[in-house]
């Protein structure tokens, strides 16, 4: 009986493979959609929603380090700049620098755990919000620092949920579909 069960399991795997379109497009599409999300639920005068696009980029980079190329930070940062209302080029520069530094961290510390990833993401999120605040201040969009701190705390607490969601999307991304032909 166990041999029959093994045969049935392997028979389900024949002529099935992950879809190349889904496998390559899922990270790009999820980061772009996450960049659009903070503006949809509510409109406010103070930053409340965390930078979901940036957090999703960090989660993909930490989950699958070689999946997104280093130059993806510039392209996805441009998408975020278009939807976030920040000065154009701010996210492009900050996301590109983040991808380069994440690449260096991955080369230096290839074995990490949950707390290390959370700490690294927390530092990047805090630096991103602080530098975004400085860039916005220089372009005429002055915001009190006390308004950015709650956004950083929400982002830090929400990052594990973003990472878990990216993990579920990655599982779907690699799901096997029937191959015809």
């Amino acid at each position: 009986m166990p041999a029959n069960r093994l045969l049935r399991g392997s028979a389900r795997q024949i002529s099935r493979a992950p879809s190349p379109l889904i496998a390559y497009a899922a990270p790009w599409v999820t980061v772009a959609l996450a960049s659009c999300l903070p503006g949809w639920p509510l409109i406010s005068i103070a930053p409340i929603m965390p930078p979901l696009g940036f957090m999703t980029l960090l989660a993909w980079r930490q989950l699958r380090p070689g999946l997104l190329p280093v130059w993806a930070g510039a392209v996805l940062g441009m998408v975020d700049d278009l939807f976030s209302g920040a000065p154009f080029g701010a996210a492009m520069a900050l996301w590109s620098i983040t991808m380069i530094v994440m690449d260096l961290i991955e080369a230096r510390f290839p074995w990490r755990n949950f707390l290390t990833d959370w700490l690294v993401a927390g530092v990047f999120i805090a630096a991103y919000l602080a530098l975004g605040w400085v860039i916005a201040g220089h372009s005429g969009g002055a915001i009190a620092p006390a308004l950015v701190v709650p956004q950083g705390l929400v982002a830090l607490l929400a990052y594990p949920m973003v990472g878990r969601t990216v993990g579920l999307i990655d599982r779907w991304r690699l799901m096997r579909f029937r191959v015809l032909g």
Side-chain angles (χ1 to χ4, degrees), residues 9 12 16 19 33 54 58 66 69 84 101 111 118 127-128 137 152 155 160 166:
R12 289 188 204 146
R16 292 185 181 270
S19 167
L33 286 176
F54 184 70
L58 286 175
S84 70
V101 174
W111 298 284
W118 199 4
Y128 176 72
V166 166

Side-chain angles (χ1 to χ4, degrees), residues 4-43:
N4 188 14
R5 212 168 76 178
L6 289 175
L7 181 62
R8 278 193 330 217
S10 64
R12 289 188 204 146
Q13 299 299 321
I14 295 175
S15 37
R16 292 185 181 270
S19 167
L21 177 67
I22 293 173
Y24 293 121
W28 296 85
V29 171
T30 54
V31 172
L33 286 176
S35 292
C36 299
L37 280 178
W40 286 349
L42 57 108
I43 298 172

Side-chain angles (χ1 to χ4, degrees), residues 109-125:
F109 303 107
W111 298 284
R112 300 177 315 268
N113 60 13
F114 172 74
L115 290 176
T116 307
D117 282 347
W118 199 4
L119 177 69
V120 168
V123 168
F124 276 112
I125 291 168

Side-chain angles (χ1 to χ4, degrees), residues 92-105:
M92 288 172 59
L94 294 175
W95 288 27
S96 296
I97 292 168
T98 299
M99 291 294 281
I100 292 168
V101 174
M102 288 289 289
D103 200 32
L104 294 174
I105 289 173

Side-chain angles (χ1 to χ4, degrees), residues 50-146:
L52 292 175
F54 184 70
M55 292 166 61
T56 306
L57 178 77
L58 286 175
W60 274 112
R61 184 71 180 140
Q62 288 181 338
L63 181 67
R64 301 280 184 187
L67 188 61
L68 291 170
V70 175
W71 54 266
V75 175
L76 293 169
M78 182 182 67
V79 171
D80 189 71
D81 279 337
L82 291 173
F83 289 103
S84 70
F88 192 74
M92 288 172 59
L94 294 175
W95 288 27
S96 296
I97 292 168
T98 299
M99 291 294 281
I100 292 168
V101 174
M102 288 289 289
D103 200 32
L104 294 174
I105 289 173
E106 177 63 31
R108 178 70 177 104
F109 303 107
W111 298 284
R112 300 177 315 268
N113 60 13
F114 172 74
L115 290 176
T116 307
D117 282 347
W118 199 4
L119 177 69
V120 168
V123 168
F124 276 112
I125 291 168
Y128 176 72
L129 290 174
L131 290 172
W133 177 73
V134 169
I135 291 170
H138 284 299
S139 66
I143 297 173

